[in-house]
Amino acid sequence: MADEVGVPRDRKILVAVDESEESMHALSWCLENVLFCGDYKDTLILLYAIPPRAVYPTLDNTGHVFSSDFLAMMLKYNKDAADFVVQKAKRMCKEQARDVKVETRIEHGDPRDVICEMAEKLHVDVVVMGSHGYGLIKRAFLGSVSNHCVQNVKCPVLVVKRPRPDDYRSK
């Protein structure tokens, strides 16, 4: 990206991260292939979306009421998982691109909506995300976060597929 005079400007790159190997591969690929080097700095924004909590029935299989302690434990687990993933991603950034400026965001909501909203709110230049590579049937039932973002985010979206072992056949 360059300004009117042709001088490169700093970019904001949003990378969606979660517990999957695909998201960590996308982050690693971004660090190796997307970040600029030189006198200007890109800002990498690591975004983790805590999905909305499931609607828990008030009774379990045995007829016992779920306690508020159980629900609090579930919320703590979600926050701990988000913190763990973000810290892992920050370590990867430090190891692969020592000088990159890293910001982190942990937001609550459907990942599809959170990524789209944060991309617009933060005025990012590009969104980078992994692809789970679901087949047609799984994608129909689970939906595709990457497809939703490609269709709805106003800036470019880079979807990084994780290579399969058979993609590296010797010739």
Side-chain angles (χ1 to χ4, degrees):
M1 307 268 166
D3 63 14
E4 296 83 33
V5 192
V7 176
R9 67 176 178 86
D10 301 341
R11 298 177 303 171
K12 288 184 181 178
I13 302 167
L14 180 100
V15 181
V17 295
D18 62 20
E19 296 86 356
S20 72
E21 290 180 28
E22 290 82 4
S23 83
M24 290 299 133
H25 173 74
L27 173 58
S28 178
W29 193 92
C30 175
L31 292 168
E32 293 173 14
N33 298 286
V34 177
L35 292 181
F36 283 154
C37 300
D39 294 334
Y40 50 96
K41 303 276 186 194
D42 286 332
T43 300
L44 204 59
I45 303 167
L46 304 173
L47 173 64
Y48 184 98
I50 296 177
R53 83 176 173 212
V55 177
Y56 298 107
T58 54
L59 300 176
D60 65 10
N61 297 5
T62 62
H64 294 94
V65 177
F66 281 129
S67 70
S68 60
D69 290 342
F70 174 78
L71 297 177
M73 181 184 70
M74 293 300 295
L75 291 173
K76 182 180 179 338
Y77 171 80
N78 287 339
K79 183 177 180 335
D80 289 348
D83 289 339
F84 176 80
V85 169
V86 167
Q87 289 306 315
K88 179 180 176 180
K90 284 174 70 174
R91 275 193 311 275
M92 183 183 290
C93 293
K94 189 173 186 173
E95 291 167 6
Q96 286 187 245
R98 295 191 188 279
D99 295 333
V100 68
K101 180 180 176 187
V102 177
E103 297 176 5
T104 60
R105 300 288 300 241
I106 297 175
E107 301 290 336
H108 293 266
D110 185 310
R112 290 176 275 231
D113 299 328
V114 168
I115 295 166
C116 293
E117 289 165 9
M118 287 293 103
E120 187 166 339
K121 179 180 178 181
L122 300 173
H123 306 287
V124 301
D125 296 291
V126 64
V127 173
V128 178
M129 58 194 321
S131 171
H132 290 151
Y134 293 141
L136 182 62
I137 303 299
K138 272 191 178 178
R139 195 168 48 249
F141 284 106
L142 300 175
S144 169
V145 174
S146 59
N147 186 56
H148 179 84
C149 292
V150 166
Q151 299 299 322
N152 294 286
V153 171
K154 292 177 174 69
C155 68
V157 177
L158 176 62
V159 180
V160 180
K161 289 177 66 172
R162 189 165 177 241
R164 296 181 306 236
D166 61 343
D167 289 344
Y168 293 110
R169 294 184 204 132
S170 60
K171 294 182 180 181

